[in-house]
Amino acid sequence: MLKPLLVFGTRPEAIKMAPIVAACKDRPQDIAAKICLTGQHREMLQQVTDYFGIQSDINLDLMKPNQSLAELTAACIERMDTVLVREQPDCVVVQGDTTTVFATSIAAFYRRLPVVHVEAGLRTGNIWAPWPEELNRRITSLVTAIHCAPTPQAADQLRKEGYAESTIHVTGNTVIDALLWTVKRERARGSEWRKKYDFLGDQRMILITGHRRENFGDGFRNICQSIRTLAERLPDVAFLYPVHLNPNVQGPVHELLGTLPHVYLVDPAPYPEFVWLMDRSTMILSDSGGVQEEAPSLKKPLLVMRDTTERPEAVAAGAVELVGTSVEKITERTMAIMTDSAEYQKHQVDKNPYGDGSAAPRIVELMLQQGWQK
Ligand code: UD1
Ligand code: UDP
């Protein structure tokens, strides 16, 4: 029996770890996983665990309003060490690039425990963008025993950095497992969601998200200015923005967009609702990592409001465009997609490069093959 500890702390990690939790449950004779939440996020994490019915065994409850990265990192390493000593897992599974991932990997390394890194090998090559995630990923790779790369390109990146071939596996991204499962369910509940969003009527809708630290300040002001300009030029289009709870996002977004007609600022949407909103949208403006991976499956054009992306596959496929945070570029490209159907259709691709919906069972099978069972 393999006893892994699955660790996660933020909204996107929970969404992407949920299929692995389910895949472990599908093999009760082989695997007994424990779940440790760091609680880096609180409300936004609970929205996901509630939906997927995930019961945690441990919750470190680390979130404090607007805490510094150093404070969160220190608390996470220290508290995780206590958990690892007490639980003695066979391996530790982390997903992505957050402080939870980096701090947990370091704690596991100090206890000489094998780390399984889900969504490995993503790089921009610039440690300042995304900040601090690029560094979190690189440090995590250094202490990882199995790198679960979502795409062949991510696997090649790890080879270039000198990681042993036997440790690198292309598994697909579990975000697609979660999305395909969820979109089917939520389409079936469409009338409920249409009722909740009846203010949208039959209007076309642009869905917006944004939260990256490197966009704080000027980047966010530009994003908000672009939305103001677009709302003037597209008076018959609704702009729906579920605003991330980080105070550095809430502040400028409410200040700059709070009073505009047909720009709707709402609380972060629970995952199933957000999936329905993506599916209902005409196009998406976002700086999110996960949303970049999801949009191609739903055939929604997406503008990535960042200067660089560690997810170049969907850009190469033509599904998403990297536009940075310049007001001119965001407004010009949005107008082109919203007003020219040929331009719109160019972004609708047949195959999502990030996965086929079966990443989680592959990852569980890989873990079982390592001989880590005590
Ligand atoms: C974190 C991750 C980022 C990831 C994002 C996903 C780091 C450094 N950043 O960014 O990589 O893309 O999550 O959303 O790991 N807050 C709440 N309630 C919540 C969540 C956050 O109030 O449920 C507020 C708190 O004031 C908190 C602040 O947001 O201190 C920042 O949270 P934090 O996890 O440090 O960073 P994010 O910006 O959410
Ligand atoms: N998401 C959500 N509600 C929202 C916005 C996003 O459930 O209001 C989901 C989205 O579908 C994706 C994930 O959250 O799966 C992305 O999280 P986020 O943008 O916070 O982080 P990132 O992916 O950039 O690390």
Side-chain angles (χ1 to χ4, degrees), residues 7-323:
V7 181
F8 47 103
T10 66
R11 167 172 72 190
E13 293 164 71
I15 292 166
K16 292 170 172 182
M17 201 68 103
I20 299 180
V21 174
C24 289
K25 283 204 179 127
D26 283 346
R27 302 190 62 168
Q29 299 89 340
D30 303 322
I31 196 155
K34 280 205 174 173
I35 295 169
C36 174
L37 306 180
T38 64
Q40 177 176 336
H41 282 177
R42 187 169 293 150
E43 303 87 337
M44 287 163 59
L45 178 65
Q46 201 188 334
Q47 285 179 335
V48 183
T49 50
D50 284 354
Y51 179 63
F52 287 105
I54 294 173
Q55 307 282 344
S56 63
D57 298 286
I58 303 144
N59 188 345
L60 303 181
D61 201 19
L62 292 177
M63 202 203 87
K64 286 190 194 158
N66 214 11
Q67 70 185 323
S68 72
L69 291 174
E71 191 182 356
L72 174 62
T73 303
C76 192
I77 294 178
E78 202 170 0
R79 299 282 305 281
M80 193 55 65
D81 186 53
T82 314
V83 173
L84 298 181
V85 169
R86 193 180 63 228
E87 298 294 332
Q88 298 285 319
D90 295 330
C91 63
V92 177
V93 185
V94 292
Q95 192 292 328
D97 55 17
T98 65
T99 296
T100 287
V101 174
F102 144 66
T104 301
S105 305
I106 293 291
F109 171 70
Y110 289 156
R111 293 288 165 189
R112 296 176 181 269
L113 287 165
V115 172
V116 177
H117 187 204
V118 178
E119 197 182 275
L122 276 62
R123 300 287 189 271
T124 61
N126 176 359
I127 58 164
W128 299 104
W131 178 81
E133 291 84 355
E134 174 82 359
L135 191 74
N136 290 347
R137 290 191 186 114
R138 294 197 206 182
I139 292 171
T140 304
S141 295
L142 285 170
V143 300
T144 287
I146 315 181
H147 309 267
C148 301
T151 64
Q153 197 161 334
D156 281 346
Q157 177 63 36
L158 292 162
R159 286 184 195 107
K160 259 189 244 154
E161 291 175 18
Y163 294 103
E165 186 61 40
S166 59
T167 64
I168 303 170
H169 304 272
V170 178
T171 58
N173 196 317
T174 54
V175 76
I176 307 300
D177 302 28
L179 178 71
L180 298 184
W181 187 79
T182 305
V183 78
K184 206 164 139 198
R185 280 169 59 123
E186 301 314 315
R187 277 179 185 159
R189 289 170 67 195
S191 57
E192 249 173 81
W193 296 127
R194 269 190 295 279
K195 210 180 211 175
K196 172 158 184 189
Y197 287 95
D198 63 352
F199 58 90
L200 295 175
D202 294 329
Q203 274 186 315
R204 292 188 299 162
M205 183 261 279
I206 298 181
L207 184 64
I208 302 152
T209 80
H211 69 85
R212 296 244 82 86
R213 277 175 157 75
E214 66 274 14
N215 280 344
F216 290 174
D218 287 347
F220 262 97
R221 272 190 288 279
N222 285 350
I223 288 171
C224 293
Q225 182 53 51
S226 311
I227 296 163
R228 290 183 77 95
T229 308
L230 285 164
E232 274 165 29
R233 292 209 204 155
L234 296 168
D236 57 344
V237 172
F239 292 76
L240 187 75
Y241 189 162
V243 188
H244 193 286
L245 293 181
N246 192 320
N248 300 292
V249 179
Q250 287 275 332
V253 170
H254 281 276
E255 186 187 317
L256 295 166
L257 298 176
T259 55
L260 294 182
H262 69 105
V263 175
Y264 304 99
L265 304 182
V266 296
D267 287 336
Y271 177 64
E273 188 168 328
F274 188 76
V275 167
W276 184 82
L277 285 169
M278 282 196 289
D279 204 34
R280 161 70 178 78
S281 72
T282 310
M283 68 175 290
I284 306 172
L285 307 179
S286 180
D287 66 10
S288 160
V291 177
Q292 284 178 62
E293 294 155 346
E294 293 162 336
S297 281
L298 302 174
K299 297 193 188 294
K300 302 298 174 181
L302 168 74
L303 300 186
V304 182
M305 299 183 292
R306 296 172 48 180
D307 294 327
T308 59
T309 180
E310 59 291 307
R311 294 168 169 93
E313 295 87 348
V315 179
V320 314
E321 278 184 55
L322 196 58
V323 291

